[in-house]
Amino acid sequence: MAEFTTIGKRLAMLDAPAKVTGAGLYADDLKLPGMLVGKILHSPHPHAHIRAIHTEKAEALPGVHAVATGQDVPRPYGILPIGHDECVFTADKARYIGDNVAGVAAVDTATAERALELIEVDYESLPAFFDPIESMKAAEHRLHADKPNNIEKEYHHVFGDPEEGFLEAACVREDHFYCSEVTHAAMEPHATLAAFDADGRLTVWSSTQVPYYLQRTLSEVLELPMSQIRVIKPLIGGGFGGKSEVISVEVAAAVLARKAQRPVKICYTREEVFYAHRGRPITIIDLKTGVSREGKITAVEARVVQDGGAYCGYGPVTILYSGALLNAMYHIPNVRYDGYRVLTNKPACGAMRGHGTVNVRFAFESQLDMLAEEIGMDAAEIRRRNFLQAPCMTVNGLRVTSYGYPECVEKVVERSGWREKKGKLPFGKGMGLAGSHYVSGAANPIIRSNMPHTTVNIKVDRDATVTLFSGASEIGQGSDTIQVQLVAEELGVSVERVKLVAADTDLTPVDLGSYSSRVTFMAGNACLEAAREMKRQILEVVGKRFACPAERILFRDERVFCPDDPERAMSFEQAVLAALDAPGAPDARALVAKGTYTPPAEAQGGKFKGAGVGPSPAYSYSAQVAEVTVDPETGQVTVDRIIAAHDCGRALNPLSVEGQVQGSVWMGLGQALQEELIWEKGRLMNPSMLEYRTASTLESPPIETILVESVDPEGPMGAKEAGEGSLAAALPAVANAIYDAVGVRIKSLPITPEKILKALREKEKQSKGTQKDEPAGI
Amino acid sequence: MNKQLIRQLINGQAHDLAIYPNRSLLEVLREEISLTGTKCGCDDSSCGCCTVLVNGMPMLSCVMLAASYQEAEITTIEGVAREGQLDPLQRGFCEAGGAQCGFCTPGMIITARALLEANPNPSHEEINQALGGNLCRCTGYTQILESIDRAIQLMRIHREAAVGR
């Protein structure tokens, strides 16, 4: 096995010093001379025709430099080619409370806010839909004229023969699950600064996960060629999917900057961030699973309804992922999936960490535990009985190249003392197990094109400084560091030697962005390819000098040498100079090399409709054991400990991988127990960090991480994703543990004390009902 | 509204400022003197990102009127490193992964600094109590706790080295 010098080390993030000193700049920290403050007018109505908008008074207010409405920018946009259904400022009607109606740019915040008050909008209120089931029944008052029954998208997939599968089953369960809506709540609110230069060229600094898509959208909506637009991503204070599509803030800033002919910055307030949303939708799941006496899953059937909100966003991807990933971590021969993404008069849902998979995984792993109990089988054992055998194709065409899930299960069983403790803890204490998986990037791009998913360039200057130009977006997950580590490892140089220029559309080649856990796998592979090409160029010269076959020459410890003969060695600097000064070298100033990554065709799924979403070049796996204490008097759940084993392929930087896994598990715990957006007729009842209730240090349990390294054959140095996959296992692990603790099965998220108490009381009532002779208490 | 003159000692440097009395300390720090290390995560005192030390106490600068703090001594994240050398807490946050996206990090470090000044050897429970008002969305807090443990360890090494000398 190859020995690594940089890979596998617990390296601090390269940008950590900037972050701990306050020197690092985020979008809101930027300032330009003459900069104006942009503010957006949001609809107070959930569904209303806009009959007229009067902006004259706002325009006349001293200090106001521009007011823009839907008339200024009529071009619709959206993240998916099939979903261009929203405008930067809605012109015809408002579809949710918070919908963007107009924007102003003024000298300061107070003036901008005053100007918003002076804009008069004549609304004609329309009936609104807040419940997806009701919305599906709607004959009139569609949100979008072209969407009958307000169904944005529906998918119906059948693999194998589900009817036959259920006939084979010894035990079949049908359960109804409900998951509330949750949101990203990244600590940094969305912020954008847009400025035109004298030549009419636009530069946008934005808290975006995908500079390239933002550049494209700006180009379409503003009707400017892409060459006239530069998008720069400064430091990003977390994204979790919430910054992976263009919410109108960026376009609004650009529109206002063009109108005002001054730079415009828009920073959303926390309340605006909550309404911008794009988080995980309310998901209603009817799940049916059959197992044989031996615990083999014979068939799975799911009907999933997602409450998508008012616009398309990433919605069709969410509902497709829910189907594609429903069954794919186990060997399940027969599957039926019916998915509906429904429009309602609320902010649009979209991609959120664990996109699409989390809620169905909660349902599936909860039901699997119920089935295990019914056939008298241990929860770990029923999972073992259904392991895949990699390499393989799942029944729905997902190609699995590495599968560390069995080891994950074994490791958490061992570490938790599962065999000794499960089912034997005193009433009120319990443990639960569950698994999850996730894609390492989607094998098909959002926008159909044949270009590589990532391209990177490497330049080595005469002083042997290595500069990596990558379009990938660091959003706090550590991907900048990982890319530099890969290049340093391959070139055999220190990480200090490698400089990174990232996520600036003028300087860096196209990368499709930081979403679906694609950066390490895809940009990472491109980095390796570029570094290998760089080595080839150096070897062309050095190989001849050493009179040693190129494949025998090593790049390591800042040297280029032939291990057979210690005399044949030179420093990396010398080797670079030799290559640059060789007769016929293309450019004496710098060596340049390019690397790309395109997923192999066979990773792109089968031919069935919808196969484009779900397939990935590789999948991560996770198993978790949660230990909980439930107070039967109050229903309060305390998570005492979570043990999470995550199969990340090879851990390129264990410090980062552990951080990603812990963050994922923790976010899953939040959804399991306390996070939820509470809506009242389209109005959000908890649009603040205090009321939304993400966990603080006081409610956060120790999360023990075990890294399982399955070393994927196609991953960069064997790596797979680590940023999302563990999230989904946390929810059912906790639900299963609560059942173990107090014997009630909660199928609705979040699992609040109220729900537990209610279930405990019902259970008590039922048991009293069956034992009529017992005296009713003291 | 008239501007008001105030004097504050910010990161050891005296600043004379003419500000509107409705300006928050956070706005003054970020906009008047370009100390953008202090972050605005919520604007309603619920996230802790904007924590600064005011006369040694960790306070939420987004809900403090700057004009009410005449002659106050204020330390922001920019004032934590000394002579270009990272403070043990800053090193701890680098080495143990306490800073992922980094947006909550300044507030975390400021709060932790106040804690460690009052109690150089806090238990995990005490650390968690102290940081209860500083939200982080990336780490799940495990590596933040480890970062502070690492800082305590570094400070102990410094102290022992100083005694040894």
Side-chain angles (χ1 to χ4, degrees):
Chain A
M1 196 185 95
E3 266 183 52
F4 298 106
T5 53
T6 301
I7 291 305
K9 299 278 183 300
R10 303 178 73 83
L11 277 192
M13 276 195 208
L14 298 175
D15 52 15
K19 288 168 179 168
V20 301
T21 56
L25 295 177
Y26 298 76
D28 184 22
D29 302 336
L30 305 173
K31 210 179 198 175
L32 285 172
M35 187 175 84
L36 302 172
V37 172
K39 283 274 166 195
I40 293 177
L41 182 70
H42 303 284
S43 165
H45 301 284
H47 203 182
H49 271 303
I50 296 172
R51 283 195 287 233
I53 302 183
H54 301 285
T55 58
E56 302 79 7
K57 285 182 196 159
E59 281 159 12
L61 185 71
V64 171
H65 286 252
V67 180
T69 67
Q71 305 303 325
D72 296 289
V73 258
R75 287 282 293 261
Y77 69 92
I79 187 74
L80 305 176
I82 54 164
H84 283 216
D85 64 353
E86 55 191 309
C87 288
V88 54
F89 305 119
T90 186
D92 56 342
K93 63 176 182 171
R95 293 179 176 86
Y96 66 95
I97 293 177
D99 209 347
N100 302 316
V101 175
V104 300
V107 287
D108 55 30
T109 306
T111 310
E113 283 171 350
R114 177 77 194 110
L116 292 186
E117 290 166 11
L118 294 174
I119 298 174
E120 290 159 11
V121 187
D122 182 6
Y123 293 104
E124 179 196 344
S125 207
L126 294 167
F129 302 98
F130 307 115
D131 176 83
I133 305 296
E134 291 302 311
S135 194
M136 280 167 93
K137 293 178 196 156
E140 278 182 273
H141 303 297
R142 292 175 189 174
L143 271 81
H144 296 277
D146 60 340
K147 301 289 175 196
N149 296 98
N150 288 322
I151 295 174
E152 171 80 50
K153 234 11 173 175
E154 59 183 289
Y155 293 102
H156 305 280
H157 294 159
V158 181
F159 304 100
D161 186 341
E163 280 72 29
E164 186 59 34
F166 284 117
L167 286 176
E168 284 167 24
C171 183
V172 176
R173 272 202 72 99
E174 288 183 60
D175 295 283
H176 182 76
F177 296 89
Y178 179 90
C179 304
S180 282
E181 203 162 332
V182 290
T183 199
H184 321 86
M187 294 316 300
E188 180 206 23
H190 299 264
T192 292
L193 170 59
F196 282 86
D197 66 18
D199 300 329
R201 198 157 186 272
L202 170 66
T203 302
V204 171
W205 293 260
S206 185
S207 52
T208 175
Q209 294 177 231
V210 196
Y212 169 67
Y213 289 148
L214 174 55
Q215 187 192 17
R216 263 186 77 112
T217 304
L218 286 166
S219 164
E220 283 171 20
V221 179
L222 299 174
E223 299 180 77
L224 272 177
M226 277 176 85
S227 60
Q228 286 292 89
I229 299 166
R230 177 183 190 181
V231 175
I232 302 172
K233 178 209 71 72
L235 283 182
I236 301 292
F240 315 114
K243 296 167 182 168
S244 65
E245 52 178 299
V246 179
I247 58 163
S248 63
V249 57
E250 288 126 335
V251 194
V255 167
L256 290 167
R258 181 154 70 178
K259 237 182 151 171
Q261 299 193 332
R262 295 265 287 267
V264 172
K265 184 160 81 179
I266 302 183
C267 298
Y268 265 0
T269 63
R270 181 52 66 178
E271 186 177 15
E272 284 179 299
V273 175
F274 272 98
Y275 276 99
H277 189 34
R278 316 277 157 166
R280 194 165 353 272
I282 287 175
T283 307
I284 302 158
I285 304 163
D286 288 292
L287 185 67
K288 180 177 173 186
T289 305
V291 294
S292 71
R293 195 56 60 209
E294 295 74 39
K296 290 249 187 208
I297 302 167
T298 59
V300 171
E301 200 173 276
R303 182 179 191 272
V304 176
V305 177
Q306 286 169 349
D307 178 356
Y311 293 102
C312 177
Y314 263 114
V317 176
T318 320
I319 194 76
L320 271 169
Y321 263 136
S322 296
L325 298 178
L326 167 72
N327 60 289
M329 65 179 289
Y330 298 108
H331 176 70
I332 301 171
N334 307 299
V335 181
R336 181 193 306 279
Y337 176 69
D338 297 296
Y340 302 85
R341 205 259 185 183
V342 184
L343 296 159
T344 55
N345 292 103
K346 293 190 291 187
C349 292
M352 181 171 163
R353 201 173 198 176
H355 191 188
T357 187
V358 175
N359 293 342
V360 292
R361 185 59 35 210
F362 162 67
F364 189 95
E365 296 283 318
S366 294
Q367 195 172 60
L368 197 55
D369 258 41
M370 295 184 247
L371 286 161
E373 191 187 18
E374 288 194 13
I375 60 167
M377 188 174 280
D378 174 67
E381 187 55 32
I382 197 166
R383 288 171 172 84
R384 281 188 204 105
R385 301 276 168 108
N386 293 286
F387 284 154
L388 295 171
Q389 288 272 333
C392 64
M393 292 288 273
T394 65
V395 67
N396 56 336
L398 309 196
R399 189 189 60 140
V400 176
T401 46
S402 59
Y403 187 69
Y405 185 45
E407 195 182 333
C408 290
V409 172
E410 289 325 302
K411 288 267 165 74
V412 294
V413 161
E414 221 169 275
R415 173 83 71 91
S416 65
W418 177 264
R419 290 181 194 90
E420 301 78 47
K421 283 153 74 180
K422 174 68 168 76
K424 295 165 197 155
L425 296 169
F427 184 76
K429 295 251 175 210
M431 65 200 308
L433 183 143
S436 64
H437 65 151
Y438 203 58
V439 303
S440 301
N444 291 310
I446 294 166
I447 296 157
R448 290 277 168 190
S449 101
N450 290 325
M451 76 178 169
H453 285 219
T454 302
T455 300
V456 301
N457 292 329
I458 294 179
K459 176 176 77 130
V460 184
D461 286 295
R462 288 188 73 83
D463 67 353
T465 298
V466 178
T467 310
L468 169 65
F469 296 85
S470 167
S473 300
E474 166 72 57
I475 57 169
Q477 81 279 43
S479 65
D480 278 0
T481 308
I482 293 293
Q483 291 177 85
V484 166
Q485 274 184 268
L486 285 164
V487 169
E489 181 71 47
E490 192 62 30
L491 291 178
V493 300
S494 69
V495 285
E496 289 77 24
R497 187 181 286 286
V498 184
K499 309 296 170 219
L500 178 71
V501 175
D504 175 335
T505 58
D506 262 13
L507 306 177
T508 55
V510 174
D511 175 274
L512 299 185
S514 285
Y515 60 87
S516 74
S517 282
R518 54 174 298 288
V519 179
T520 291
F521 200 95
M522 297 187 176
N525 269 323
C527 287
L528 285 182
E529 189 180 277
R532 282 169 191 150
E533 163 58 20
M534 181 60 69
K535 276 163 76 175
R536 195 195 58 72
Q537 290 181 30
I538 296 171
L539 282 171
E540 247 177 41
V541 174
V542 174
K544 279 179 204 144
R545 292 213 185 160
F546 283 1
C548 167
E551 61 275 11
R552 301 277 316 145
I553 297 174
L554 295 182
F555 285 65
R556 208 182 157 85
D557 303 327
E558 299 266 322
R559 292 192 314 143
V560 180
F561 61 100
C562 184
D564 303 338
D565 180 355
E567 295 289 300
R568 289 170 184 163
M570 57 173 81
S571 67
F572 182 73
E573 286 99 329
Q574 287 168 328
V576 167
L577 274 183
L580 280 168
D581 293 341
D587 182 348
R589 290 166 302 179
L591 298 169
V592 291
K594 180 184 90 166
T596 65
Y597 180 76
T598 303
E602 60 273 23
Q604 293 176 359
K607 286 191 168 31
F608 66 91
K609 191 167 187 264
V613 181
S616 168
Y619 302 85
S620 74
Y621 297 90
S622 180
Q624 283 165 46
V625 168
E627 294 188 29
V628 305
T629 303
V630 183
D631 182 340
E633 298 298 317
T634 62
Q636 188 65 44
V637 178
T638 309
V639 179
D640 301 312
R641 183 186 182 206
I642 288 257
I643 300 157
H646 183 87
D647 165 25
C648 61
R650 190 189 301 284
L652 302 181
N653 182 341
L655 182 69
S656 278
V657 180
E658 285 168 11
Q660 287 302 302
V661 173
Q662 288 157 2
S664 288
V665 170
W666 175 86
M667 206 175 266
L669 288 177
Q671 188 182 351
L673 294 174
Q674 58 193 66
E675 286 179 35
E676 128 183 71
L677 293 178
I678 301 164
W679 299 99
E680 188 65 44
K681 295 191 173 131
R683 186 171 298 282
L684 186 57
M685 295 286 103
N686 54 345
S688 85
M689 293 303 280
L690 197 63
E691 296 156 310
Y692 179 66
R693 297 188 69 228
T694 70
S696 75
T697 48
L698 299 169
E699 304 98 46
S700 300
I703 300 166
E704 297 167 38
T705 320
I706 302 166
L707 302 186
V708 168
E709 296 187 286
S710 63
V711 185
D712 189 80
E714 292 172 22
M717 309 259 175
K720 299 190 288 192
E721 84 85 36
E724 303 187 69
S726 283
L727 193 149
L731 293 74
V734 167
N736 291 342
I738 290 169
Y739 179 76
D740 187 44
V742 291
V744 295
R745 172 63 63 182
I746 311 296
K747 301 179 207 169
S748 152
L749 295 179
I751 305 176
T752 56
E754 291 83 351
K755 289 177 189 171
I756 292 177
L757 274 187
K758 188 164 171 259
L760 281 170
R761 289 202 182 123
E762 271 166 22
K763 197 180 157 212
E764 204 181 339
K765 231 188 272 169
Q766 275 171 8
S767 70
K768 276 184 189 146
T770 54
Q771 301 167 13
K772 278 184 188 148
D773 301 336
E774 295 265 314
I778 299 167
Chain B
M1 209 187 309
N2 289 326
K3 283 191 174 177
Q4 207 172 314
L5 282 176
I6 61 160
R7 163 170 280 217
Q8 287 174 339
L9 193 68
I10 302 171
N11 298 332
Q13 213 184 325
H15 286 264
D16 291 301
L17 300 161
I19 56 163
Y20 288 110
N22 66 348
R23 301 286 275 169
S24 71
L25 179 59
L26 176 65
E27 288 169 321
V28 169
L29 290 171
R30 289 180 58 84
E31 291 163 27
E32 305 288 333
I33 45 181
S34 294
L35 289 173
T36 55
T38 305
K39 303 300 178 198
C40 177
C42 70
D43 50 55
D44 63 2
S45 75
S46 52
C47 78
C49 287
C50 69
T51 310
V52 296
L53 293 179
V54 179
N55 300 325
M57 286 286 289
M59 309 270 274
L60 297 172
S61 62
C62 75
V63 285
M64 298 169 65
L65 294 175
S68 307
Y69 292 85
Q70 253 321 338
E71 302 288 337
E73 257 184 62
I74 292 159
T75 305
T76 72
I77 190 66
E78 288 92 343
V80 171
R82 293 210 179 98
E83 290 156 14
Q85 292 291 309
L86 295 186
D87 171 273
L89 267 167
Q90 293 172 314
R91 278 182 58 191
F93 271 74
C94 289
E95 291 170 15
Q100 283 190 19
C101 83
F103 204 78
C104 73
T105 309
M108 287 282 177
I109 289 177
I110 290 287
T111 304
R113 188 187 166 108
L115 168 70
L116 296 189
E117 268 170 22
N119 176 4
N121 279 305
S123 64
H124 279 179
E125 207 186 325
E126 286 166 326
I127 297 173
N128 283 339
Q129 284 288 344
L131 293 180
N134 289 79
L135 299 178
C136 165
R137 193 62 170 157
C138 298
T139 59
Y141 304 106
T142 304
Q143 290 188 333
I144 288 176
L145 202 60
E146 286 166 4
S147 298
I148 294 170
D149 278 346
R150 176 78 186 127
I152 293 167
Q153 195 190 354
L154 287 168
M155 285 160 77
R156 191 177 304 134
I157 294 166
H158 286 186
R159 273 200 305 275
E160 282 165 10
V163 170
R165 245 179 268 139

